[in-house]
Amino acid sequence: MDDRVALPANIAGGLTDATFATRVRWDGGAAWQRIFDFGAGTGQYIILTPSSGSTVQFAILNNGGTTQRLAGPDPLPVGEWANVAVTLIGNTGTLYVNGAAVATTTISIHPAAVTQTTNYLGKSQFTADPLFKGAIDDFRFYNRGLSAAEVAALAVPPAATSVPDSSFSAWAAGYSLPAGQTGALDDPDKDGNVNAWEYLTGTNPLLSSSGATPQMKVMTAAALGLGNTGKTYLTIQARVRKYRLGATFIPEAAATIAGLALPSAATNAVQAGAPTPDGSFEIYTYYFSTAIQDSPGGAGYIRLRATVQ
């Protein structure tokens, strides 16, 4: 994205309790990009950034006073869709990522106290800050603070839709698939992996279990770059296309199979470092954030789920 959206003045004026929510795909880059920035220059603002350099962060300031912040433990994941929401209820602010609360603190500045003459999606009011790199979808705000359950409901990923894009059609044509088997959700080799998944991972849709399919194994904390804590983690590694037009993969983890259906499952699967380049593919490693030693009964489940938009 190399543009921004300008919104009307005073768009969130008059609000005390409020909720800001959106789905974003952040493609990485420099710190202090903006998902949104409402305010009047650098002395008054309401902002949400995918990364302050180390964390996803919401910040609010009025009349050049002291900035009040909500900061998550990490930046937003790179290259993947995430739901981000901020609720302001009374003097309490809560930041959510994919339906799970990642930060709660006192926020006593209300949006009504911030002059809002310049309001952007994708652009900062600080000239040195870069434009947002990625995509923003379904941006919304409410004149009340949503409950945790309501925020979680916003974060549930939409169901997959069978709408093959041009890149998928071109890939499928190169394999001379059987008649009626070129759709994104078809499975010509009957191996349980639909065409969309084969396309995503670069495997052969006519040969069962071909190519580099996701691999699960147990790894030590040290191997994952978490320090030598003596603990071990369940991981999944996958080789996926760098440019995934029309397809998204979502890592999920939970202590039980039923837990994989909860919105919090997406926050339990953490990316271990940057992906490793592999030609037109990248190799990603994810781990279940709860160590095997800390999981009830030593059990855990991790998976990758693909959708076609």
Side-chain angles (χ1 to χ4, degrees), residues 170-209:
W171 169 84
Y175 281 94
S176 300
L177 295 180
Q181 291 293 302
T182 60
L185 301 183
D186 290 324
D187 180 17
D189 60 9
K190 308 301 181 185
D191 65 351
N193 295 317
V194 298
N195 282 335
W197 182 261
E198 304 269 19
Y199 165 66
L200 191 66
T201 59
T203 51
N204 188 335
L206 299 181
L207 182 62
S208 179
S209 302

Side-chain angles (χ1 to χ4, degrees), residues 89-100:
I89 303 174
N91 287 336
T92 299
T94 303
L95 173 65
Y96 295 84
V97 176
N98 290 324

Side-chain angles (χ1 to χ4, degrees), residues 95-153:
L95 173 65
Y96 295 84
V97 176
N98 290 324
V102 296
T104 299
T105 193
T106 298
I107 299 290
S108 58
I109 302 173
H110 300 142
V114 179
T115 301
Q116 302 167 31
T117 57
T118 307
N119 304 312
Y120 294 119
L121 297 183
K123 183 180 185 300
S124 169
Q125 298 187 71
F126 290 71
T127 56
D129 291 337
L131 292 170
F132 182 78
K133 183 181 179 183
I136 299 173
D137 182 38
D138 193 24
F139 177 79
R140 58 178 74 183
F141 59 92
Y142 300 78
N143 62 355
R144 64 183 180 88
L146 297 186
S147 68
E150 289 174 313
V151 173

